Amino acid sequence: MNFHTRASVPLLPSLAMLLVFICLLLVSPLLVQSFDANASSTSAARALDALLQDYAYRAFVRPRTGVPYDARVPSNFTGISITAMRLRSGSLRTRGVRMYKEFEIPIGVVEQPYVERLVLVYQNLGNWSLRYYSLPNYTYLAPLLGLLAYDASNLSATNLPELDLRASGDPIKIKFSDVRPAPNGSLPKCVWFDLHGLVKLSNLTSANECSTIQQGHFSIVIESIAPPSPPTRSEGKESNRRTWIIVASVVGGVALLAFLGFLVLWARKCKRRKKMQEMEKAAEVGEALHMTSVGDTKAPSATVTRTQPTLENEYVP
């Protein structure tokens, strides 16, 4: 009996681990869905950057170094404005750019990997800012501005990778010209989106001005004080579906654990019954002993006695 009890004890941790594994399998689609939503948002923004790079390069018909050229965007992206400016890397590093739209680029800005000429693409996403760069619990006070650097060796190239543009001395300043006033009691913040989905908030360096040492997309935001809008019918259905999935996962896991526990108990009971049957069978196969009375009790006695002893004087030759 003790042997079977000790043999079944290691099954309990295994059952617990199995339950956790099943719950993770059932709930994991929700986690994957959340991750895919963030990944798809970043992918859409990167696709937009590639499209705007293509149209910005189309503005270079007879380009002159250091001269900004405004470019046209597709009609289905009305509200976005882009500009392209070609520069020599050495000139950018030693002279900077006094003012490129809202960006003031100081001396000491370098790119990696090094190229002889580069193009600075300026973006103003206007009313498309929130669509491509959503920031939960925050409200935009200014359109999202982008500054990205590309290789200028081939002005007909598309889908170019961005160069890593960094300020090695003074930071790059962004002086926003189109900023809505902040509500009383709110604290405006600078927001920076890098090219990989990272978001960073910082304090304004002065009125309507932010600074950065890297390229990316920038704006001014405040924390949202309005209550969240009620969920739509489709969002409510999706929330209910997720709730039912979680409840069903837990209930199913508990039911599975109970079923496995029942199997363990049933197996132990079958082993115990089998052992009793084997003991009874062994008892039936053995020779039965006759019982005899000894006082007030009964004790087993042999039915065959040993050979009687023979006295010497009774020996007959």
Side-chain angles (χ1 to χ4, degrees):
M1 179 67 180
N2 292 336
F3 171 77
H4 296 294
T5 303
R6 288 195 299 269
S8 61
V9 169
L11 290 175
L12 297 179
S14 300
L15 294 177
M17 292 179 64
L18 180 60
L19 175 61
V20 173
F21 178 72
I22 293 174
C23 291
L24 287 176
L25 286 178
L26 294 174
V27 179
S28 58
L30 303 180
L31 302 178
V32 172
Q33 183 178 7
S34 176
F35 175 79
D36 288 344
N38 296 332
S40 62
S41 176
T42 302
S43 299
R46 303 301 297 120
L48 178 65
D49 290 338
L51 176 68
L52 297 182
Q53 176 266 317
D54 178 21
Y55 278 85
Y57 273 41
R58 296 183 186 186
F60 291 128
V61 179
R62 294 180 180 177
R64 296 173 55 190
T65 301
V67 177
Y69 293 86
D70 294 333
R72 293 184 178 182
V73 297
S75 58
N76 54 337
F77 284 97
T78 300
I80 296 178
S81 61
I82 55 177
T83 304
M85 183 170 61
R86 188 177 65 166
L87 296 168
R88 291 182 179 273
S89 296
S91 177
L92 176 64
R93 184 180 66 258
T94 58
R95 298 181 183 179
V97 180
R98 182 175 181 83
M99 187 60 66
Y100 178 38
K101 296 295 184 177
E102 287 93 338
F103 291 89
E104 182 179 322
I105 305 175
I107 296 172
V109 173
V110 295
E111 79 284 350
Q112 291 292 335
Y114 172 80
V115 293
E116 184 177 353
R117 295 174 182 265
L118 67 137
V119 173
L120 296 181
V121 175
Y122 162 86
Q123 303 175 2
N124 185 328
L125 299 187
N127 55 356
W128 294 80
S129 302
L130 187 60
R131 177 170 180 175
Y132 283 94
Y133 294 89
S134 62
L135 195 61
N137 303 323
Y138 284 89
T139 301
Y140 282 101
L141 295 181
L144 204 67
L145 305 180
L147 182 67
L148 304 178
Y150 299 91
D151 185 4
S153 59
N154 182 5
L155 297 182
S156 300
T158 59
N159 295 319
L160 289 174
E162 291 82 2
L163 302 174
D164 185 11
L165 194 70
R166 291 177 181 265
S168 59
D170 295 333
I172 301 171
K173 295 180 181 180
I174 309 105
K175 298 181 178 181
F176 294 90
S177 57
D178 184 12
V179 184
R180 293 188 290 111
N184 294 331
S186 60
L187 180 64
K189 291 279 188 179
C190 298
V191 61
W192 165 61
F193 297 86
D194 79 345
L195 301 181
H196 307 287
L198 177 66
V199 182
K200 182 180 179 181
L201 295 171
S202 60
N203 295 324
L204 275 71
T205 54
S206 63
N208 299 337
E209 181 180 294
C210 299
S211 63
T212 181
I213 62 172
Q214 293 178 260
Q215 63 183 351
H217 295 81
F218 311 89
S219 186
I220 298 177
V221 297
I222 57 171
E223 284 194 78
S224 302
I225 56 177
S229 58
T232 61
R233 180 177 300 179
S234 60
E235 291 175 347
K237 291 181 179 179
E238 181 67 18
S239 177
N240 292 336
R241 188 179 70 85
R242 294 181 181 180
T243 302
W244 278 111
I245 290 177
I246 295 174
V247 172
S249 302
V250 175
V251 173
V254 172
L256 179 61
L257 182 60
F259 176 72
L260 293 176
F262 170 78
L263 289 180
V264 172
L265 295 177
W266 179 78
R268 289 176 55 191
K269 186 175 181 180
C270 289
K271 289 182 179 180
R272 190 185 311 166
R273 183 182 303 171
K274 184 176 180 181
K275 184 177 180 181
M276 293 296 297
Q277 291 176 351
E278 291 176 352
M279 294 175 62
E280 293 175 356
K281 185 176 180 181
E284 292 176 356
V285 172
E287 182 180 1
L289 298 177
H290 294 277
M291 305 298 291
T292 184
S293 297
V294 180
D296 296 332
T297 61
K298 290 185 177 181
S301 63
T303 56
V304 180
T305 59
R306 64 175 181 168
T307 305
Q308 296 294 330
T310 303
L311 299 178
E312 291 182 357
N313 55 4
E314 294 179 354
Y315 173 75
V316 180

